[in-house]
Amino acid sequence: MTTTDTSTRPNRTRATVFAILRLAVVALVVTAIVATFFDTATRATINPFNFFGFFTMQSNIITAVVLLLAAVATLTGRTQTPGLVLARACATTYIVVVGIVYNTLLTGLEGGVSLEWANWVLHVAFPIYAAVDWVFFGDRTALPWKQLWVALIYPAVWIVVVLIRGATDGWVPYPFLDPATGYGTVAIYCVAILAVIIVVATLVFAVSWMRKAKP
């Protein structure tokens, strides 16, 4: 006779709920991005390098992909690799910064996401959800502090690309990065953004060491 261990059933059920919730959120974000793409296409010819050049779009896509991978790992009974947990930490940092920058510097300005509901999903709802997911969903592991620098790679590359494009073809995703305002002003904003990223990444890494309920 065999016996079934029922002690793990609540944990498995909770993990499944976490995974399904992640999939639902990812679906909502993808819908918001697609809706924004086609809404923009009704008013102008879309240059994909411009549309997907925004830190907002890229961060939403990165975070959605990472959470999708985490959900699939949970539903298939696999443990998330250290690389995936690190990717989640970086993605959480980026999307939280999106929420901070948008709601402090860009709210009410022209341009960006014209669909009000999609704008709310990409700039408010998803950043909040990602933060809650990282803090309360217990499938993360403690991250070594020596890996903190990894979170700076993508934002640093993105800023360099934006500065090059601003100086060559004149396209900039956000008004505070416009060379027309003066490179001194742009440099201040770039340093400030990187500082915010470092602070948020530090908090994200610190949270990874906190006790949490295992799914």
Side-chain angles (χ1 to χ4, degrees), residues 19-33 60-71 121-122 126 129:
I20 293 174
L21 177 57
R22 281 173 175 159
L23 291 177
V25 172
V26 168
L28 177 61
V29 171
V30 171
T31 301
I33 293 174
N60 272 272
I61 292 171
I62 290 171
T63 308
V65 169
V66 169
L67 289 182
L68 174 62
L69 293 176
V121 168
L122 301 178
F126 199 28
Y129 170 81

Side-chain angles (χ1 to χ4, degrees), residues 25-163:
V25 172
V26 168
L28 177 61
V29 171
V30 171
T31 301
I33 293 174
V34 172
T36 299
F37 182 91
F38 284 106
D39 177 69
T40 304
T42 62
R43 298 188 305 276
T45 301
I46 292 182
N47 181 334
F49 292 103
N50 293 353
F51 182 84
F52 293 106
F54 287 85
F55 191 82
T56 292
M57 284 297 177
Q58 294 181 13
S59 295
N60 272 272
I61 292 171
I62 290 171
T63 308
V65 169
V66 169
L67 289 182
L68 174 62
L69 293 176
V72 170
T74 299
L75 293 175
T76 56
R78 291 181 288 123
T79 301
Q80 293 180 43
T81 64
L84 179 55
V85 175
L86 177 59
R88 283 179 55 205
C90 292
T92 301
T93 297
Y94 307 147
I95 198 65
V96 168
V97 169
V98 164
I100 293 173
V101 172
Y102 175 79
N103 290 285
T104 57
L105 296 178
L106 300 173
T107 301
L109 296 182
E110 294 183 0
V113 180
S114 58
L115 289 175
E116 186 173 345
W117 71 268
N119 183 70
W120 179 79
V121 168
L122 301 178
H123 290 112
V124 180
F126 199 28
I128 292 175
Y129 170 81
V132 171
D133 183 290
W134 182 255
V135 173
F136 294 106
F137 288 13
D139 55 352
R140 51 177 164 74
T141 54
L143 292 166
W145 287 104
K146 64 182 180 181
Q147 294 181 340
L148 183 64
W149 66 274
V150 175
L152 298 177
I153 296 176
Y154 160 64
V157 171
W158 180 84
I159 287 177
V160 170
V161 172
V162 166
L163 292 178

